[in-house]
Amino acid sequence: DQAMDWRDACEVYMDHATDLDSGAAGGLDDRVRLKGVYAGAYHSFALTSYGSVYSFGLNNMGQLGIGSLEPNHTGIPTLVPALEGKDIMRLEGGEHHSLALSADGEVYAFGRGDNNQLGFADGTDQQLTPRHITSLSGVRVRAVSTQANSNFAVSCSGDLYSWGFGEMGQLCNGKGGDEVAPTLIETGDV
């Protein structure tokens, strides 16, 4: 009976957690401590207190960043090895792409790129592992945000950058068109 299996598993976990909290387990606390959880349209990320990033959900365009399209989707948190040691502080998920922001202000993109949402300016349609957006080199970014197929970044100096799909004017670039790489938004008229 599957319901009984889940119930048993939950009871074992709760007993173990109680033992850990009370010190009765006598060993190291083996629970993963989370710093944050972030969600895209069909995929999600967990950021541990040690800086490791785990992804889960749909992976049809590489938006999990695990270096492969297999599995196509997973409910099991999977380590994103390319982000190890990068001191990631925030993640964002669009429809089929993802962004990771490091404490050093570097932005990494992965997943689908057919609407320029990866920001590489080289025609990359798909990126299976996180890749640094080099057009933001020299810009220390403090915040990122995604929409379905477009993105924003705010620098530490307060400058706004946008890139990706922009046909409906959502990039705030006054063009009503796409930006292939992060582009500084002139805010004089805003």
Side-chain angles (χ1 to χ4, degrees):
D1 179 10
Q2 187 175 8
M4 185 57 128
D5 291 343
W6 281 105
R7 199 172 18 253
D8 289 344
C10 288
E11 287 177 16
V12 168
Y13 173 80
M14 292 305 294
D15 289 344
H16 181 64
T18 301
D19 288 347
L20 287 170
D21 289 340
S22 70
L28 291 174
D29 187 343
D30 60 353
R31 293 175 289 186
V32 173
R33 304 282 183 200
L34 294 181
K35 187 173 169 181
V37 178
Y38 308 92
Y42 307 104
H43 61 293
S44 303
F45 298 97
L47 177 62
T48 71
S49 59
Y50 297 108
S52 294
V53 175
Y54 290 84
S55 59
F56 43 99
L58 184 64
N59 189 39
N60 64 326
M61 298 299 290
Q63 62 265 45
L64 296 186
I66 58 176
S68 172
L69 295 177
E70 294 297 326
N72 178 267
H73 63 279
T74 181
I76 299 170
T78 304
L79 180 68
V80 181
L83 292 176
E84 286 291 285
K86 302 278 190 221
D87 198 13
I88 299 302
M89 59 182 264
R90 181 161 185 81
L91 294 122
E92 287 285 327
E95 184 177 23
H96 295 110
H97 78 288
S98 306
L99 299 178
L101 175 63
S102 76
D104 293 334
E106 294 184 329
V107 181
Y108 299 85
F110 45 104
R112 184 177 184 174
D114 60 343
N115 289 118
N116 301 302
Q117 61 267 52
L118 298 177
F120 301 140
D122 63 4
T124 300
D125 281 344
Q126 189 175 56
Q127 180 69 35
L128 301 181
T129 57
R131 178 176 154 196
H132 181 239
I133 301 176
T134 57
S135 60
L136 285 171
S137 292
V139 176
R140 187 176 167 101
V141 175
R142 67 178 168 93
V144 292
S145 180
T146 62
Q147 298 175 350
N149 298 303
S150 54
N151 310 287
F152 289 95
V154 179
S155 72
C156 288
S157 63
D159 290 329
L160 177 65
Y161 295 81
S162 68
W163 67 98
F165 182 74
E167 254 181 48
M168 305 303 154
Q170 68 269 41
L171 294 179
C172 191
N173 59 5
K175 298 181 200 175
D178 295 359
E179 292 288 356
V180 299
T183 302
L184 179 64
I185 302 302
E186 300 297 331
T187 56
D189 296 331
V190 177

